[in-house]
Amino acid sequence: MSTNKNGDKRFKISPKVVAFDFGADPVNFEDSVSVNCLISSGDMPVDIIWLLNNNSMDSYYGSGVNIMKSGKRASVLTIDSVHAGHVGNYTCLAKNRAGQAGHTAELIVNVPPKITPFDFGDEPANFGDSVTVQCTISKGDLPADITWLFNEYPLNDYLGVTTSKIGKKVSVLTIDSVNGNNAGNYTCKVRNIAQVTEYTATLVVNVPPKISPFSTGSEAVHLGQYITYQCTITEGDLPLNILWTFNNQPLFNDDHEDILIAKMGRRSSVLTIESVTARNAGNYTCQGSNKAGKASYTVQLRVIVLPRIRPFTFEDGPAQTGQYISLSCSVTHGDLPLNITWFLNYEEVDESYGITTMMVNKRTSVLTIESVDDRHAGNFTCLARNPAGRQLYTTELNIYVLPKIAPFNPGAEAFFPGDYSTFQCSIIHGDHPMLIYWYFNQHKLNETNAQQLGIQISKMGSRSSVLTIESVNGNHAGNYTCFGKNSAGVTNYTASLIVNVPPKLAPLPSSADSPLYMGDYFQLNCAVVHGDAPFNITWFYNDEPVNKLDGITILMQSKRSSSLNIESVRGEHAGKYTCMGANRAGVTEVFTHLIVKELPQLEQFYFNANGVNGGQAVRVMCMVTSGDLPIDIHWLKDGQPLLRSIYHKIDEYTLILSLRQTNVGDSDHAVIKL
């Protein structure tokens, strides 16, 4: 208790420290920690001090521990980077005039491992030696995990390396027989809860050279080609000596002006040939040596020559359709054997193209086209191949392409008079410009004669022409030919127009002006001068088939002609004769009349068989029994006409001679003349 200046009495209060700690879990190495010592009550002034393991903290200033007062009743202790030296009990002690109080908190630090240094010795290991190193953890929290790395990668069994753990803090690495593969960095890696620690030792092995295989990249090289061989010693101790030989003879820059040798660092040497020639072919050996041994690697350089084709072309310029052409591909350089192949527009040619190829010797192939057509236009390529590679040469064949006419027809097998017909001629292939014209039955159609025939020709663009017949008649039947003409030549296509034309018969001759007499020979010829075959020709007599009439024969002289024959005309042959011509288009008739003239026939007459007495009257009748009218009858005596007064006409067929008185002179013959 104390008394103030006013004489008042009061009690003294000692300080009270609020409890604090560093957390429930240990602090990791290099973590930052902080605790706050707070005086919750007590008389002022209050002194606050910190103790570590009951010792003053003055000696720890500058070791990463900071203490800072925060007001009159608080002090903050901070450790920026915790390590093992900071482990212990931290006490905050508060004092005033009434007394003191304190609070203690333990700082637990996870301590990282510390590895005792190790090595493989001062001298390199030799091939076959046995080596051992021991990794020992001198400090650090347990448990600790120990692993080994080789060149930063986990150890593999194939290296011939074994590891064994001795206790909790030691691991031993053993190599029973060292080889070049074992040279490198061996790292012992220790891990505990605080941290991972590593220590590395390098194993140096006296390693003989090992040469990485090299080549030019191909089995053979070409004349003039640039090549380089890089000999790299991937393993082996330094210093190294690298030597090149050619066909077992040492190579130096001064000995071969076309070969250059250059060292590239301590482990590599490059041999270069700027332009390969045939003399460079042979075996190239790189030899590497050091104090541990030597090694060599040999490659064979084969020099081969690519094919070289002599340029060729179609010298005559564009070819005409149907022209014969040939092309020769000669390989002037290149190793044998050679294979020569021809291509047209990048497709291999064969006989289906109308193209033949032939090897005339080991280096030349000849391509032949017997008859050029538009299929052959384009790029002809000769490809030559040998073991060295391939070369090709291409030239273009231009062809004057003949017009090609699409087949056409009139649209029907046959037409009847009055039908409509059209032909369209289209040029589907061929060079421009193009001329199209028409022929009808081998006669060229122009505007004039086409119009006269009732034919119209119209151009439809640059490649088509249309021929039109508005009303077909028999004159239109025949062959219509379309011609296409350009700079390459002329082609044509012909279509036939068939018109069903009824027969047209030649007129039959009339016998009116030259009648026949009985017994005469008679013939009629009936000819179909126009119309479609086949024909059927039939004869009629008085509208009845003639085959019913005796003495008449019919003969077909040709497909268009028939004859009617009467060997001996008789009176009953007179009448109307009709020839009928028929085909699928119609029927036509012609006719004529046969007139038969019949000579008069006299009935015999006689004077008195016993004679006539002188002065006796005589009367004789002359009768025409048959014959065509009119009939002229008169009497003759001894070839001389008698007076008409002595005979008279009874009718057209009868004449009577009357002699009133006969005499001796009348005894001669009397003749009747018709």
Side-chain angles (χ1 to χ4, degrees), residues 364-407:
T364 303
S365 175
V366 175
L367 177 146
T368 302
I369 306 175
E370 291 290 337
S371 179
V372 170
D373 60 44
D374 54 359
R375 296 178 303 164
H376 302 134
N379 293 319
F380 282 81
T381 300
C382 176
L383 173 65
R385 290 174 288 188
N386 69 1
R390 49 188 263 169
Q391 188 191 40
L392 51 84
Y393 189 86
T394 300
T395 189
E396 184 178 9
L397 175 61
N398 292 314
I399 299 174
Y400 289 130
V401 181
L402 278 170
K404 183 177 181 181
I405 301 174

Short mmCIF file of all heavy atoms in Angstrom, two decimals, residues 364-407:
data_model
loop_
_atom_site.label_atom_id
_atom_site.label_comp_id
_atom_site.label_asym_id
_atom_site.label_seq_id
_atom_site.Cartn_x
_atom_site.Cartn_y
_atom_site.Cartn_z
N THR A 364 19.68 -44.29 -124.48
CA THR A 364 18.76 -43.54 -125.33
C THR A 364 17.44 -44.28 -125.48
O THR A 364 17.41 -45.49 -125.72
CB THR A 364 19.37 -43.30 -126.72
OG1 THR A 364 20.62 -42.63 -126.57
CG2 THR A 364 18.46 -42.44 -127.57
N SER A 365 16.36 -43.53 -125.34
CA SER A 365 15.03 -44.04 -125.58
C SER A 365 14.34 -43.15 -126.61
O SER A 365 14.45 -41.93 -126.55
CB SER A 365 14.21 -44.06 -124.28
OG SER A 365 12.87 -44.45 -124.53
N VAL A 366 13.64 -43.79 -127.55
CA VAL A 366 12.94 -43.05 -128.61
C VAL A 366 11.44 -43.24 -128.43
O VAL A 366 10.95 -44.36 -128.28
CB VAL A 366 13.38 -43.53 -130.00
CG1 VAL A 366 12.55 -42.83 -131.09
CG2 VAL A 366 14.86 -43.24 -130.22
N LEU A 367 10.71 -42.13 -128.44
CA LEU A 367 9.25 -42.12 -128.37
C LEU A 367 8.70 -41.83 -129.76
O LEU A 367 9.16 -40.89 -130.42
CB LEU A 367 8.79 -41.08 -127.36
CG LEU A 367 7.28 -40.89 -127.18
CD1 LEU A 367 6.96 -40.56 -125.73
CD2 LEU A 367 6.74 -39.78 -128.08
N THR A 368 7.72 -42.63 -130.18
CA THR A 368 7.16 -42.50 -131.52
C THR A 368 5.64 -42.43 -131.47
O THR A 368 5.01 -43.19 -130.73
CB THR A 368 7.58 -43.70 -132.40
OG1 THR A 368 9.00 -43.78 -132.44
CG2 THR A 368 7.05 -43.54 -133.82
N ILE A 369 5.09 -41.49 -132.24
CA ILE A 369 3.64 -41.40 -132.42
C ILE A 369 3.36 -41.54 -133.91
O ILE A 369 3.75 -40.68 -134.69
CB ILE A 369 3.08 -40.06 -131.89
CG1 ILE A 369 3.49 -39.84 -130.43
CG2 ILE A 369 1.57 -40.03 -132.02
CD1 ILE A 369 3.08 -38.49 -129.87
N GLU A 370 2.72 -42.61 -134.29
CA GLU A 370 2.47 -42.87 -135.70
C GLU A 370 1.49 -41.86 -136.29
O GLU A 370 1.66 -41.40 -137.42
CB GLU A 370 1.92 -44.29 -135.89
CG GLU A 370 2.92 -45.39 -135.61
CD GLU A 370 4.02 -45.45 -136.66
OE1 GLU A 370 3.78 -44.97 -137.79
OE2 GLU A 370 5.12 -45.94 -136.35
N SER A 371 0.46 -41.51 -135.52
CA SER A 371 -0.55 -40.58 -136.03
C SER A 371 -1.00 -39.70 -134.88
O SER A 371 -1.71 -40.14 -133.98
CB SER A 371 -1.74 -41.35 -136.61
OG SER A 371 -2.73 -40.46 -137.07
N VAL A 372 -0.58 -38.46 -134.92
CA VAL A 372 -0.87 -37.52 -133.83
C VAL A 372 -2.36 -37.18 -133.81
O VAL A 372 -2.97 -36.98 -134.86
CB VAL A 372 -0.03 -36.23 -133.98
CG1 VAL A 372 -0.50 -35.16 -133.00
CG2 VAL A 372 1.44 -36.53 -133.76
N ASP A 373 -2.92 -37.15 -132.62
CA ASP A 373 -4.27 -36.61 -132.45
C ASP A 373 -4.28 -35.74 -131.20
O ASP A 373 -3.26 -35.56 -130.54
CB ASP A 373 -5.33 -37.72 -132.39
CG ASP A 373 -5.10 -38.68 -131.24
OD1 ASP A 373 -4.81 -38.22 -130.12
OD2 ASP A 373 -5.24 -39.90 -131.45
N ASP A 374 -5.45 -35.18 -130.91
CA ASP A 374 -5.51 -34.18 -129.84
C ASP A 374 -5.20 -34.77 -128.47
O ASP A 374 -4.88 -34.04 -127.54
CB ASP A 374 -6.87 -33.49 -129.82
CG ASP A 374 -8.03 -34.48 -129.73
OD1 ASP A 374 -7.77 -35.70 -129.70
OD2 ASP A 374 -9.18 -34.04 -129.70
N ARG A 375 -5.26 -36.11 -128.30
CA ARG A 375 -4.88 -36.70 -127.02
C ARG A 375 -3.42 -36.49 -126.70
O ARG A 375 -3.01 -36.56 -125.55
CB ARG A 375 -5.14 -38.21 -127.03
CG ARG A 375 -6.58 -38.64 -127.18
CD ARG A 375 -6.66 -40.14 -127.22
NE ARG A 375 -5.84 -40.70 -128.29
CZ ARG A 375 -5.48 -41.98 -128.37
NH1 ARG A 375 -5.84 -42.83 -127.42
NH2 ARG A 375 -4.75 -42.41 -129.39
N HIS A 376 -2.62 -36.24 -127.73
CA HIS A 376 -1.17 -36.16 -127.55
C HIS A 376 -0.69 -34.76 -127.22
O HIS A 376 0.51 -34.56 -127.02
CB HIS A 376 -0.47 -36.67 -128.81
CG HIS A 376 -0.84 -38.07 -129.17
ND1 HIS A 376 -1.17 -38.46 -130.45
CD2 HIS A 376 -0.99 -39.17 -128.40
CE1 HIS A 376 -1.46 -39.74 -130.46
NE2 HIS A 376 -1.36 -40.20 -129.23
N ALA A 377 -1.57 -33.80 -127.18
CA ALA A 377 -1.15 -32.43 -126.85
C ALA A 377 -0.77 -32.35 -125.38
O ALA A 377 -1.41 -32.94 -124.52
CB ALA A 377 -2.27 -31.44 -127.15
N GLY A 378 0.31 -31.65 -125.07
CA GLY A 378 0.71 -31.44 -123.68
C GLY A 378 2.20 -31.61 -123.48
O GLY A 378 3.00 -31.49 -124.42
N ASN A 379 2.57 -31.90 -122.24
CA ASN A 379 3.97 -31.97 -121.84
C ASN A 379 4.46 -33.42 -121.87
O ASN A 379 3.90 -34.29 -121.20
CB ASN A 379 4.15 -31.40 -120.43
CG ASN A 379 3.89 -29.91 -120.39
OD1 ASN A 379 4.30 -29.19 -121.29
ND2 ASN A 379 3.20 -29.45 -119.36
N PHE A 380 5.52 -33.64 -122.66
CA PHE A 380 6.18 -34.93 -122.71
C PHE A 380 7.42 -34.86 -121.82
O PHE A 380 8.27 -33.98 -122.00
CB PHE A 380 6.56 -35.30 -124.14
CG PHE A 380 5.40 -35.80 -124.95
CD1 PHE A 380 4.51 -34.92 -125.53
CD2 PHE A 380 5.18 -37.15 -125.10
CE1 PHE A 380 3.42 -35.36 -126.26
CE2 PHE A 380 4.10 -37.63 -125.83
CZ PHE A 380 3.22 -36.74 -126.42
N THR A 381 7.51 -35.79 -120.87
CA THR A 381 8.61 -35.78 -119.91
C THR A 381 9.38 -37.08 -120.01
O THR A 381 8.80 -38.17 -120.00
CB THR A 381 8.08 -35.62 -118.47
OG1 THR A 381 7.38 -34.38 -118.37
CG2 THR A 381 9.22 -35.62 -117.47
N CYS A 382 10.70 -36.94 -120.13
CA CYS A 382 11.59 -38.10 -120.07
C CYS A 382 12.21 -38.14 -118.68
O CYS A 382 12.81 -37.16 -118.23
CB CYS A 382 12.68 -37.99 -121.14
SG CYS A 382 13.90 -39.34 -121.04
N LEU A 383 12.01 -39.26 -117.98
CA LEU A 383 12.55 -39.44 -116.64
C LEU A 383 13.64 -40.49 -116.69
O LEU A 383 13.40 -41.63 -117.07
CB LEU A 383 11.45 -39.86 -115.67
CG LEU A 383 11.89 -40.25 -114.25
CD1 LEU A 383 12.48 -39.05 -113.53
CD2 LEU A 383 10.72 -40.83 -113.46
N ALA A 384 14.86 -40.08 -116.31
CA ALA A 384 16.00 -40.99 -116.28
C ALA A 384 16.38 -41.24 -114.83
O ALA A 384 16.54 -40.30 -114.04
CB ALA A 384 17.18 -40.41 -117.05
N ARG A 385 16.53 -42.53 -114.46
CA ARG A 385 16.88 -42.89 -113.10
C ARG A 385 18.06 -43.86 -113.08
O ARG A 385 18.18 -44.72 -113.97
CB ARG A 385 15.69 -43.54 -112.40
CG ARG A 385 14.55 -42.58 -112.09
CD ARG A 385 13.35 -43.29 -111.54
NE ARG A 385 12.68 -44.07 -112.60
CZ ARG A 385 11.51 -44.67 -112.43
NH1 ARG A 385 10.90 -44.61 -111.28
NH2 ARG A 385 10.96 -45.34 -113.42
N ASN A 386 18.92 -43.69 -112.08
CA ASN A 386 19.98 -44.65 -111.80
C ASN A 386 20.18 -44.69 -110.29
O ASN A 386 19.47 -43.99 -109.54
CB ASN A 386 21.26 -44.31 -112.57
CG ASN A 386 21.93 -43.05 -112.08
OD1 ASN A 386 21.48 -42.42 -111.13
ND2 ASN A 386 23.02 -42.67 -112.71
N PRO A 387 21.12 -45.49 -109.78
CA PRO A 387 21.30 -45.54 -108.32
C PRO A 387 21.62 -44.19 -107.70
O PRO A 387 21.42 -44.00 -106.50
CB PRO A 387 22.45 -46.53 -108.15
CG PRO A 387 22.37 -47.42 -109.34
CD PRO A 387 21.93 -46.53 -110.46
N ALA A 388 22.13 -43.25 -108.50
CA ALA A 388 22.48 -41.93 -107.96
C ALA A 388 21.26 -41.06 -107.76
O ALA A 388 21.27 -40.14 -106.94
CB ALA A 388 23.46 -41.23 -108.89
N GLY A 389 20.21 -41.30 -108.49
CA GLY A 389 19.04 -40.45 -108.39
C GLY A 389 18.30 -40.38 -109.71
O GLY A 389 18.34 -41.31 -110.53
N ARG A 390 17.69 -39.28 -109.97
CA ARG A 390 16.84 -39.14 -111.14
C ARG A 390 16.93 -37.72 -111.69
O ARG A 390 17.23 -36.77 -110.96
CB ARG A 390 15.38 -39.44 -110.80
CG ARG A 390 14.89 -38.72 -109.58
CD ARG A 390 13.52 -39.19 -109.17
NE ARG A 390 12.50 -38.29 -109.68
CZ ARG A 390 11.21 -38.54 -109.67
NH1 ARG A 390 10.78 -39.69 -109.22
NH2 ARG A 390 10.34 -37.67 -110.12
N GLN A 391 16.68 -37.62 -112.97
CA GLN A 391 16.57 -36.31 -113.61
C GLN A 391 15.49 -36.43 -114.68
O GLN A 391 15.30 -37.49 -115.29
CB GLN A 391 17.89 -35.87 -114.23
CG GLN A 391 17.83 -34.42 -114.72
CD GLN A 391 19.02 -34.02 -115.56
OE1 GLN A 391 19.48 -34.80 -116.37
NE2 GLN A 391 19.52 -32.81 -115.37
N LEU A 392 14.81 -35.33 -114.90
CA LEU A 392 13.78 -35.35 -115.93
C LEU A 392 13.91 -34.09 -116.80
O LEU A 392 14.48 -33.09 -116.40
CB LEU A 392 12.37 -35.44 -115.32
CG LEU A 392 11.96 -34.45 -114.22
CD1 LEU A 392 11.45 -33.14 -114.80
CD2 LEU A 392 10.87 -35.08 -113.35
N TYR A 393 13.39 -34.24 -118.00
CA TYR A 393 13.38 -33.12 -118.93
C TYR A 393 12.03 -33.14 -119.63
O TYR A 393 11.53 -34.20 -120.03
CB TYR A 393 14.52 -33.21 -119.95
CG TYR A 393 14.65 -31.95 -120.77
CD1 TYR A 393 15.40 -30.88 -120.31
CD2 TYR A 393 14.01 -31.82 -122.00
CE1 TYR A 393 15.52 -29.71 -121.04
CE2 TYR A 393 14.12 -30.65 -122.75
CZ TYR A 393 14.88 -29.60 -122.26
OH TYR A 393 14.98 -28.44 -122.97
N THR A 394 11.45 -31.96 -119.79
CA THR A 394 10.09 -31.86 -120.33
C THR A 394 10.06 -30.90 -121.50
O THR A 394 10.71 -29.84 -121.48
CB THR A 394 9.12 -31.36 -119.24
OG1 THR A 394 9.11 -32.29 -118.15
CG2 THR A 394 7.70 -31.23 -119.79
N THR A 395 9.34 -31.28 -122.54
CA THR A 395 9.07 -30.38 -123.65
C THR A 395 7.60 -30.48 -124.01
O THR A 395 6.94 -31.48 -123.72
CB THR A 395 9.95 -30.73 -124.87
OG1 THR A 395 9.83 -29.71 -125.86
CG2 THR A 395 9.54 -32.06 -125.49
N GLU A 396 7.08 -29.45 -124.62
CA GLU A 396 5.65 -29.38 -124.89
C GLU A 396 5.36 -29.65 -126.36
O GLU A 396 6.07 -29.17 -127.24
CB GLU A 396 5.10 -28.00 -124.51
CG GLU A 396 3.59 -27.88 -124.67
CD GLU A 396 3.05 -26.52 -124.25
OE1 GLU A 396 3.87 -25.61 -123.98
OE2 GLU A 396 1.82 -26.36 -124.19
N LEU A 397 4.34 -30.44 -126.59
CA LEU A 397 3.86 -30.70 -127.94
C LEU A 397 2.54 -29.97 -128.13
O LEU A 397 1.55 -30.25 -127.45
CB LEU A 397 3.65 -32.19 -128.19
CG LEU A 397 3.03 -32.56 -129.54
CD1 LEU A 397 3.91 -32.11 -130.69
CD2 LEU A 397 2.75 -34.06 -129.64
N ASN A 398 2.56 -29.00 -129.04
CA ASN A 398 1.33 -28.30 -129.41
C ASN A 398 0.78 -28.94 -130.68
O ASN A 398 1.53 -29.26 -131.60
CB ASN A 398 1.61 -26.82 -129.64
CG ASN A 398 1.99 -26.11 -128.36
OD1 ASN A 398 1.33 -26.29 -127.35
ND2 ASN A 398 3.05 -25.31 -128.40
N ILE A 399 -0.51 -29.12 -130.73
CA ILE A 399 -1.16 -29.79 -131.86
C ILE A 399 -2.25 -28.90 -132.40
O ILE A 399 -3.06 -28.34 -131.64
CB ILE A 399 -1.76 -31.14 -131.43
CG1 ILE A 399 -0.64 -32.07 -130.92
CG2 ILE A 399 -2.51 -31.80 -132.59
CD1 ILE A 399 -1.18 -33.35 -130.36
N TYR A 400 -2.21 -28.74 -133.73
CA TYR A 400 -3.35 -28.12 -134.39
C TYR A 400 -4.49 -29.14 -134.31
O TYR A 400 -4.48 -30.16 -134.98
CB TYR A 400 -3.04 -27.79 -135.83
CG TYR A 400 -2.08 -26.65 -136.02
CD1 TYR A 400 -0.97 -26.76 -136.86
CD2 TYR A 400 -2.26 -25.45 -135.35
CE1 TYR A 400 -0.08 -25.71 -137.04
CE2 TYR A 400 -1.37 -24.39 -135.52
CZ TYR A 400 -0.29 -24.53 -136.36
OH TYR A 400 0.58 -23.49 -136.52
N VAL A 401 -5.46 -28.87 -133.49
CA VAL A 401 -6.50 -29.85 -133.21
C VAL A 401 -7.61 -29.74 -134.23
O VAL A 401 -8.25 -28.70 -134.39
CB VAL A 401 -7.07 -29.66 -131.79
CG1 VAL A 401 -8.13 -30.71 -131.50
CG2 VAL A 401 -5.95 -29.73 -130.77
N LEU A 402 -7.82 -30.83 -134.95
CA LEU A 402 -8.90 -30.89 -135.93
C LEU A 402 -10.25 -30.74 -135.25
O LEU A 402 -10.42 -31.13 -134.08
CB LEU A 402 -8.86 -32.23 -136.65
CG LEU A 402 -7.89 -32.38 -137.82
CD1 LEU A 402 -7.83 -33.83 -138.24
CD2 LEU A 402 -8.33 -31.52 -139.00
N PRO A 403 -11.20 -30.17 -135.96
CA PRO A 403 -12.54 -30.13 -135.39
C PRO A 403 -13.07 -31.54 -135.16
O PRO A 403 -12.82 -32.45 -135.95
CB PRO A 403 -13.37 -29.41 -136.46
CG PRO A 403 -12.37 -28.70 -137.31
CD PRO A 403 -11.13 -29.54 -137.28
N LYS A 404 -13.78 -31.71 -134.08
CA LYS A 404 -14.45 -32.98 -133.80
C LYS A 404 -15.94 -32.70 -133.71
O LYS A 404 -16.40 -31.89 -132.91
CB LYS A 404 -13.94 -33.58 -132.49
CG LYS A 404 -14.56 -34.94 -132.19
CD LYS A 404 -13.97 -35.52 -130.93
CE LYS A 404 -14.57 -36.90 -130.64
NZ LYS A 404 -14.02 -37.48 -129.40
N ILE A 405 -16.69 -33.39 -134.58
CA ILE A 405 -18.12 -33.13 -134.70
C ILE A 405 -18.89 -34.17 -133.90
O ILE A 405 -18.65 -35.38 -134.05
CB ILE A 405 -18.56 -33.16 -136.18
CG1 ILE A 405 -17.79 -32.09 -136.98
CG2 ILE A 405 -20.06 -32.96 -136.30
CD1 ILE A 405 -18.05 -32.13 -138.46
N ALA A 406 -19.79 -33.71 -133.06
CA ALA A 406 -20.65 -34.63 -132.32
C ALA A 406 -21.61 -35.29 -133.30
O ALA A 406 -22.22 -34.62 -134.14
CB ALA A 406 -21.42 -33.88 -131.24
N PRO A 407 -21.73 -36.62 -133.23
CA PRO A 407 -22.66 -37.30 -134.15
C PRO A 407 -24.07 -36.73 -134.03
O PRO A 407 -24.52 -36.34 -132.95
CB PRO A 407 -22.60 -38.75 -133.66
CG PRO A 407 -21.27 -38.89 -133.00
CD PRO A 407 -21.02 -37.57 -132.36
#
